[in-house]
Amino acid sequence: MCMTLGGRVAESIVFGKISTGAADDLDKITKIAYSQITVYGMNERVGKLSFPQPKQHEFSVHKPYSQNTARMIDEEVRKMVNDAYAKTEKLLLEKRDSLEKIAALLMEKEVISRDDIRSLLGPRPFPEPVTFEQLTDTTMPPSPPSDVPPPPPSPPSPPSGAGPLPFP
């Protein structure tokens, strides 16, 4: 959520105002927050419950919970989004000098790459994962030994134009 809010919060810090550019980000984090609370049961106050959600482009007037629960869900979503916003704002204010450098480059180029970030801010303060296992924090099952013999060859194909093979 914080990463998604980063652009909106940065706009507020750097320019002192926000544009409509972050509307999609707000939509995404609102949906994430509602899902965490109403689908995945990831909220202590609402509890470990999962309420069915209408399918996309489907409208439902029936809610499987009371008005009080609906109000509680809305309060918890608002709290979750506000907490994520505050956390993001705190982090960006702590890193304001880096934020200013990135904002200046974005004003110049509009789209920046990983290499641009490295040249502005230097290497990451921690090593970057380079293998599948490091990226996924897992280990792959061992490969079969290379000394396993290959499968037997396929039987030869009949010469072209030879006609059908006789049945035994």
Side-chain angles (χ1 to χ4, degrees), residues 5-166:
L5 280 169
R8 182 180 181 94
V9 175
E11 239 181 16
S12 175
I13 291 170
V14 173
F15 302 114
K17 60 183 180 177
I18 54 169
S19 70
T20 58
D24 186 54
D25 297 340
L26 290 176
D27 182 55
K28 286 177 186 172
I29 64 160
T30 302
K31 287 177 181 173
I32 290 168
Y34 271 105
S35 292
Q36 285 182 328
I37 292 169
T38 63
V39 177
Y40 305 116
M42 297 171 73
N43 182 271
E44 290 300 318
R45 188 168 168 218
V46 174
K48 293 168 182 41
L49 302 172
S50 180
F51 302 106
Q53 302 297 304
K55 305 279 187 260
Q56 192 173 10
H57 305 295
E58 195 176 277
F59 182 74
S60 174
V61 292
H62 171 73
K63 299 280 187 200
Y65 41 82
S66 69
Q67 284 289 55
N68 286 340
T69 301
R71 195 171 3 272
M72 184 187 334
I73 290 168
D74 289 342
E75 289 167 2
E76 291 299 302
V77 166
R78 188 169 285 107
K79 180 182 181 310
M80 185 180 287
V81 171
N82 287 341
D83 289 351
Y85 189 97
K87 183 178 182 179
T88 305
E89 187 175 45
K90 179 179 183 284
L91 177 65
L92 289 177
L93 286 170
E94 289 170 4
K95 304 290 185 181
R96 177 80 187 244
D97 58 326
S98 296
L99 173 61
E100 295 285 348
K101 290 176 186 176
I102 293 170
L105 186 61
L106 280 168
M107 295 296 287
E108 180 187 317
K109 290 180 73 172
E110 192 170 326
V111 175
I112 58 177
S113 70
R114 183 179 186 171
D115 290 335
D116 292 327
I117 296 290
R118 270 199 203 117
S119 67
L120 274 179
L121 308 179
R124 289 181 173 211
F126 48 85
E128 294 188 46
V130 292
T131 66
F132 177 79
E133 289 81 6
Q134 291 171 317
L135 287 170
T136 59
D137 198 26
T138 61
T139 56
M140 294 291 294
S143 313
S146 59
D147 60 343
V148 173
S154 315
S157 302
S160 63
L165 295 174

